[in-house]
Amino acid sequence: MNYTFALCGNPNVGKTSLYNRLTRSSQHVGNWHGVTVGKVEKEVDINGDKIKISDLPGLYSLTVYSQEESITRDDILTSKNDLIVSVCEANNLARNLYLTLQLLELGVPVLIVVNMIDELTKRGLFFDSQKLEERLKVPVLTTSAKYKFDTSELLKQGISALHSSKCMVDLPYLSKLPIGKVQDIIAPNIKDSKLNKRYACIKVLEKDNFVIDKLQLNDEQKKNLNALGDTQSLVARSRYDYIDTIVDGIISSKKKEPKKSITNVIDKVVLNKYAALPIFILIMSGIFWVTFGSIGNFLTDLLGYAISDLSNFVCTILKDISAPEWVIGLICQGIIEGVGSVLTFLPQIVIMFFFLALLEDSGYISRLAFTTDGLFGKIGLSGRAVFTMIMGLGCSATAVMTARGLEDEMMRKKTVILTPFMSCSARLPVYTAIAAAFFSSGNVPMIIGLYLLGALMVVIFAAIFEKTPLKSGEASFVMEMPKYRMPTLTRIFQILLNSAKNFIIKVGTTVFAFNVIVWVLGNFSFTHGFVALGNGESVMESVGSLLAPIFAPLGFGNWKAVTALISGLAAKEVVISTITSLGGMGEIFPDSLAAITFMVYTLLYVPCTATLSSIRREVGVKWMIFGMMLQLSSAYIVAFAIRSIIAAFIKSIMLGIIAVGCTVISIILLGYLIEAIFKNRKCIRCVGACERCK
Amino acid sequence: MTLTNAKIDTVYVVKNIVGSTLKRRLLDMGFAPGSKIRSIRIAPFGDTVLVNIRGIEIALRKNATDCIEVEVSK
């Protein structure tokens, strides 16, 4: 038999973890709300039955608020799922059952899986799934998807559940709702809408616009419905009152629980009004120091030596067997050195992704959203945009998709086109290699400066947009705060392995292919065949030279730099492999100033094609082009401005940096001081209720 | 009174949710009338508050706390 199971539940209850266990997949997981933004499905075999399992974005109710949530609602309503696996979190049972009840109202076969049961067990609590099963008359299983478990049991239970399920579970609280009255009003419309009758009536009471639009109610009907009063609150309250009777006594404790959880203790420090921001800066500096400073640098150097040894070895052999000149060039310069120049950054890329995953898995990223929401709110973004921005430090192409969780459409679009300004991991080799060539290797402050510049561009543009028709609508920020969680060792291992694998695959395919193309175009001419580098005849040189004058004001107006930037559109890593296989930094950048402007330009100009197509999918061609114009123009302007400023101060460059640094620090300190003294004269323990604060 | 004016670390009971767009969202997330609620802390830049509702911690911006009418729990 063939079956389809859909995983449905609140955000961050571990649906994707469960999906990964059931289907042996490795979909992205994280400890924050809204990691999964689209539907994925995979088929598994169990005792000859084929089960197609689909993972859906999390949601709180079948009445939805954002794009990703509507994917789930539409799947539940329209796809022919044989069984909905209602995934609940053990710590949060009542709120999770709120959604489960809506699935039961709809009359679909449901299996309840209570996840994260280990967290209860660790606290010495006991979960009585049998009691829950008896009360709800729906099969209940408990599990911990974080750890390995026997998935066949769950699947077998699922199959037996769908065979034994009653279509309409009797839900006593429904008798308290004026469903009969609603049915009388909307009866003629239900048939055409193809909606389930009970579901339609309840959703009309909840004033769900999706259902109301589907039913095409007339003004008379709407008026009659409004006469029923505040039915929204009534429905919510009835469900919660019923849930309270259901969950009573389900979780029992063997010993007395400590009043303060670890999460509360950590949050007391991490979310402290004054410490929160410095702690964030400290954490990020730490990440950058490990990635770009001593440790990351050491590992990259080690790999670099190995690759150059290999290059020498291969080249000697090729020369010994007197291979043609162009073969030696292609293999040694084009492939080994070029591709190798990117591959050496493997350790640093892995370290970066490891830390990003740690930020996600620990739950810290949600704290960051809370901490910065006030700041983001002022520039028309929401604290939720932090998720997208931090993910953007890894890969822009996947990060822009996480913006789907943003409720305001304008805000979502702006977040998407601004995300590429956050320096992604593909740009990391460019900075590191150039900084190492022109400045000291492991030049952490310079690299941090580039990352900050990218973030600053996001803030500046968002602030500018707020003064234009691109202003965001009045946005809300309602975000659940996950508990702090420790990733398991297996998970850490998986993160390291996956990021290494992805990087090696990218280097082996995109970077490799483009490097060969660039090398061939750079060394062959249309008429003369192999011409070797730099004698003015190769295809790349003739094309590149046409564009080169544009970049002359930036200091790198030569065809090689132009070629590197163009090929960087395939993947940003290609910028550095192109530079290497076209003869190295020395020939491209006349001075260290040109190297700086080149890094700034690479940071800000158009993202890679994978990101562009991802942006187009999310916000459409018009916005994608708008974003590209924004990036191209700001890259040129900022790079030129920085070049001019540095050139003006070149003799006292250190003085300039110190002065700028001091100014920034003093402005921040002054800001804090003003905030502390004037703006928030409220006392720390009060949100404005006490006499003084009024 | 609304949650915006609530004292930190004092337990209140949700009386009513007002407003239109946010109302259903808040109801769905557990802010149903009759639920116990407690503000835990304010975010560094103000305007955003972390509250505990039914044992769950949720961050809310001021426009959301304005929608939540509460009274002191007896």
Side-chain angles (χ1 to χ4, degrees), chain A residues 167-187:
Chain A
C167 265
M168 286 285 176
V169 179
D170 183 39
L171 299 164
Y173 64 91
L174 293 180
S175 60
K176 288 186 203 155
L177 305 176
I179 292 181
K181 282 181 193 156
V182 176
Q183 208 170 319
D184 291 343
I185 299 171
I186 65 168

Side-chain angles (χ1 to χ4, degrees), chain A residues 287-434:
Chain A
I287 292 175
F288 280 109
W289 186 77
V290 174
T291 313
F292 297 103
S294 48
I295 300 174
N297 227 23
F298 170 74
L299 293 171
T300 294
D301 283 347
L302 223 56
L303 198 57
Y305 292 137
I307 289 173
S308 84
D309 282 350
L310 176 76
S311 162
N312 289 338
F313 177 70
V314 175
C315 291
T316 328
I317 291 179
L318 286 175
K319 275 176 195 149
D320 284 351
I321 60 166
S322 43
E325 200 187 333
W326 71 269
V327 173
I328 298 178
L330 176 64
I331 293 182
C332 293
Q333 271 190 308
I335 297 175
I336 302 184
E337 279 182 31
V339 176
S341 65
V342 176
L343 198 61
T344 49
F345 292 99
L346 176 70
Q348 284 174 310
I349 301 274
V350 170
I351 294 174
M352 190 73 172
F353 273 102
F354 168 73
F355 280 123
L356 290 180
L358 221 55
L359 288 182
E360 277 185 69
D361 285 15
S362 61
Y364 179 73
I365 196 165
S366 296
R367 269 77 193 172
L368 190 57
F370 173 70
T371 304
T372 52
D373 179 59
L375 202 65
F376 274 94
K378 288 189 180 75
I379 55 170
L381 298 177
S382 131
R384 284 193 80 103
V386 166
F387 297 131
T388 312
M389 297 297 162
I390 294 283
M391 304 290 281
L393 296 178
C395 173
S396 318
T398 50
V400 293
M401 285 189 269
T402 59
R404 284 183 203 167
L406 293 166
E407 288 107 338
D408 185 65
E409 189 60 13
M410 183 60 85
M411 191 195 286
R412 186 179 71 83
K413 286 178 169 161
K414 288 193 290 189
T415 308
V416 167
I417 61 160
L418 291 178
T419 303
F421 282 124
M422 297 302 285
S423 185
C424 70
S425 66
R427 279 168 261 188
L428 180 157
V430 182
Y431 315 143
T432 322
I434 297 181

Side-chain angles (χ1 to χ4, degrees), chain A residues 332-343 345 426 429-430 433 507 510-516 518-519 560 563-564 567-568 570-585 588:
Chain A
C332 293
Q333 271 190 308
I335 297 175
I336 302 184
E337 279 182 31
V339 176
S341 65
V342 176
L343 198 61
F345 292 99
V430 182
V507 172
T510 319
V511 177
F512 176 82
F514 268 83
N515 227 46
V516 171
V518 166
W519 190 88
K560 287 178 181 174
T563 306
S567 53
K572 288 288 169 77
E573 295 97 336
V574 183
V575 170
I576 211 66
S577 64
T578 305
I579 290 177
T580 313
S581 55
L582 290 182
M585 314 266 177
I588 295 181

Side-chain angles (χ1 to χ4, degrees), chain A residues 494-524:
Chain A
Q494 203 179 28
I495 295 164
L496 297 175
L497 204 70
N498 274 346
S499 52
K501 199 179 82 184
N502 291 340
F503 182 68
I504 291 172
I505 289 175
K506 194 176 177 191
V507 172
T509 54
T510 319
V511 177
F512 176 82
F514 268 83
N515 227 46
V516 171
I517 295 171
V518 166
W519 190 88
V520 170
L521 292 179
N523 287 273
F524 281 82

Side-chain angles (χ1 to χ4, degrees), chain A residues 65 92 207 373 475 479 689, chain B residues 5 24-25 48 56 59 61 63:
Chain A
Y65 299 86
N92 236 339
K207 301 200 166 63
D373 179 59
M479 186 199 72
Chain B
N5 301 319
R24 213 179 315 108
R25 179 73 166 176
T48 316
I56 308 160
R61 210 180 261 184
N63 57 6

Side-chain angles (χ1 to χ4, degrees), chain A residues 39 101 141 174 187 200 232 240 279 291 310 323 337 424 426 464 466-467 501 526 580 630 652 676:
Chain A
K39 178 183 174 177
L101 285 185
L141 281 180
L174 293 180
Q232 284 176 294
Y240 274 112
I279 286 176
T291 313
L310 176 76
E337 279 182 31
C424 70
I464 293 174
E466 271 309 274
K467 305 279 174 233
K501 199 179 82 184
F526 283 126
T580 313
L630 211 63
S652 49

Side-chain angles (χ1 to χ4, degrees), chain A residues 61-131:
Chain A
S61 157
L62 289 179
T63 303
V64 304
Y65 299 86
S66 61
Q67 210 190 354
E68 98 224 60
E69 292 182 355
S70 60
I71 295 172
T72 309
R73 177 201 56 204
D74 294 345
D75 192 82
I76 302 281
L77 290 185
T78 55
S79 297
K80 295 270 171 270
N81 291 309
D82 294 306
L83 178 80
I84 309 288
V85 179
S86 172
V87 187
C88 296
E89 189 203 327
N91 299 299
N92 236 339
L93 191 62
R95 223 271 316 287
N96 282 252
L97 286 177
Y98 188 83
L99 179 65
T100 312
L101 285 185
Q102 296 186 42
L103 295 171
L104 295 175
E105 287 165 9
L106 191 59
V108 289
V110 170
L111 167 72
I112 296 175
V113 173
V114 180
N115 194 18
M116 302 192 195
I117 205 75
D118 57 302
E119 294 187 7
L120 284 192
T121 322
K122 260 181 216 151
R123 278 158 57 198
L125 300 174
F126 174 72
F127 190 93
D128 192 344
S129 52
Q130 209 164 0
K131 203 186 260 176

